[in-house]
Amino acid sequence: MSDFEPKIIGFLCNWCTYTGADLAGTARIQYPSNIRVIRMMCSGGVDMVYVMKALLEGADGVLIGGCHPGDCHYQSGNFKARRRVAILKKILQQLGYNEDRVWLRWISASEGKKFANTVTEMVEYLKKLGPNPFKYTGNI
Amino acid sequence: MGVSIELNNISALKEILKESLENKVVDAVLGLFWDENKETVAYGMTKDVNILERLEVLCPSMPVQGARVVSNIKFTETPIRVLCIIKPCEMRAVVELVKLKQIMPEKLIFLSMDCGGALEPEKFKEFNKFGKDVVGEYLSCYENFSDFSYTSENYRFACRVCDRCVPKISDLRLRSYGKTKYLEALSDKGHKFLNETIKDGLKEMDFSSYEDSLKKIIDNRKANKDKERELFKKEINSIESFTRELSACIRCHNCMVNCPADYCKECIFRSPVFDHPSENYELWLERKGMIKLPSDTLLFHLTRLNHMSTSCVSCGMCETSCPVGIRLTRIFSFIGEETQKIFDYEPGRSYTEELPVATFREKELDKV
Ligand code: SF4
Ligand code: SF4
Ligand code: FES
């Protein structure tokens, strides 16, 4: 298991976490390259169907990054995202699937360091957890 | 405790409906009507008092979700006043669809009944066809206050475990158990209907002994539900077991089309998104070794759970519609209970309680 490199799909809000990730890059803060980033205009635009699609296709984890509460450019996108993620996690839990493969984090445009730390932490966590069981099933 | 009228039998209710049409209190009545051969029932709407003869108010069949039928008619341009006779789970779905702005309730009056449950439509038809007096037996069970549906395998699973078989929020409630029935107004609209239709006999009544007898029936169903929930949670508790349960799914979308909570016209599953190009299949073969066909059945059900389980009214219409016998009521109703609990939400309970996915609180769900 030691050479297992988890794949993470990141749905990052353009106004905060995505810019934060950019900042981490320009400031040359090191973080693992396991994340594939998809830029969203708001965390409220992340439909859970995207998250499940990523998991069913075999991503080991999904990171949703949005603006801190009160900072969403569309007022309430992040609050709505939080409810959707809560529902998704409850469903996964009911189906005996580790809901902690999905992370929702508030990371602002200035928090390059926090972004790098979050990805590092998530990679460590997923390494311990092992590969997503969906990777090897033909059911999508 | 609302104003009620005593009915000597169920035919007395029909007389009231006839009067309401003749006196133009309503323009039409919507409910379950027999076909010409008296083999089966279907939803219909009429303003003709003669056709009302074919109406069956207490009828153990649910051929389609009543809320679906109501929402399919756009009453906006021609605002006719319709009295809609639907079961309690259909009423709960009406409430959800009103909140979703799919039903404009202003001109509609909803009559619902203390419900004894329904057979699968094919059973209902088969029994009638072979001369069994299905409705007669159903009515005599009501008269004896006996609990029929939860013990008989012929009844739909959703009905056998239904502990919300009493309408809480319709305009009119038919207290259907016992020899004498009562029609009770639960809302101002219902009250107005009774006042305009019935000349005398309206009064406030005390139903405490009725409620006591009813409670026994509901408690039985509740116990049955608890037992079935436990069995379900033991059986479907992993992705493997969930996948197995869904393995026969042909993604015909019947469950979605007939579910009252799946109202969205822009549903991704009504789009060509899942007509994958053939390269995708090659990629899946490469990565996963095999691909179950039709594809995306897991994604389909997980998406429905995510998008609508907070509004699942446990009507069981999904299961009734499934051609391959997937136990969808258990999946949606039991998992739906859990997602609803997060927000202390009960679908169909109130018109003012906000839909969980349409709102938020600034301070909540800290640990998500
Ligand atoms: S009705 Fe049954 S077969 Fe059709 S999509 Fe739903 S679960 Fe699958
Ligand atoms: S998911 Fe099934 S039980 Fe729930 S509301 Fe839809 S049709 Fe009814
Ligand atoms: S704009 Fe960033 S979460 Fe809404």
Side-chain angles (χ1 to χ4, degrees), chain A residues 13-16 41-44 65-67 71-74 77-78 106:
Chain A
C13 164
N14 173 59
W15 304 105
C16 49
M41 286 313 286
C42 173
S43 64
C67 307
D71 290 348
C72 170
H73 284 227
Y74 311 96
N78 48 2
W106 312 135

Side-chain angles (χ1 to χ4, degrees), chain A residues 45-66:
Chain A
V46 185
D47 195 302
M48 291 308 115
V49 73
Y50 309 152
V51 177
M52 288 178 304
K53 176 77 174 163
L55 293 175
L56 291 177
E57 293 288 350
D60 299 293
V62 173
L63 173 66
I64 302 165

Side-chain angles (χ1 to χ4, degrees), chain A residues 47 56-57 82 134 137-138, chain B residues 284 287-288 292 307 362:
Chain A
D47 195 302
L56 291 177
E57 293 288 350
R82 186 166 62 187
F134 280 126
T137 70
Chain B
W284 282 316
R287 281 210 331 261
K288 288 169 168 283
K292 189 233 163 188
H307 286 175
E362 290 191 9

Side-chain angles (χ1 to χ4, degrees), chain B residues 62 65 93 156 158 255-256 258-262 304 308-309 311-319 321 328-329 332-333:
Chain B
M62 194 165 138
Q65 232 282 0
R156 300 158 76 249
C255 46
M256 165 181 110
N258 289 295
C259 169
D262 282 352
R304 284 194 67 228
M308 52 59 64
S309 68
S311 282
C312 170
V313 297
S314 307
C315 63
M317 210 56 226
C318 44
E319 189 163 317
S321 325
L328 293 158
T329 312
F332 282 86
S333 171

Side-chain angles (χ1 to χ4, degrees), chain A residues 80-97:
Chain A
K80 289 185 179 152
R82 186 166 62 187
R83 283 203 159 196
R84 292 180 194 137
V85 171
I87 292 172
L88 170 69
K89 289 195 166 194
K90 180 60 79 182
I91 293 165
L92 294 176
Q93 201 187 71
Q94 291 298 308
L95 298 174
Y97 182 88

Side-chain angles (χ1 to χ4, degrees), chain A residues 119-130:
Chain A
V119 176
T120 311
E121 227 180 280
M122 194 169 183
V123 170
E124 290 308 312
Y125 176 77
L126 292 171
K127 275 191 178 166
K128 262 187 241 133
L129 202 60

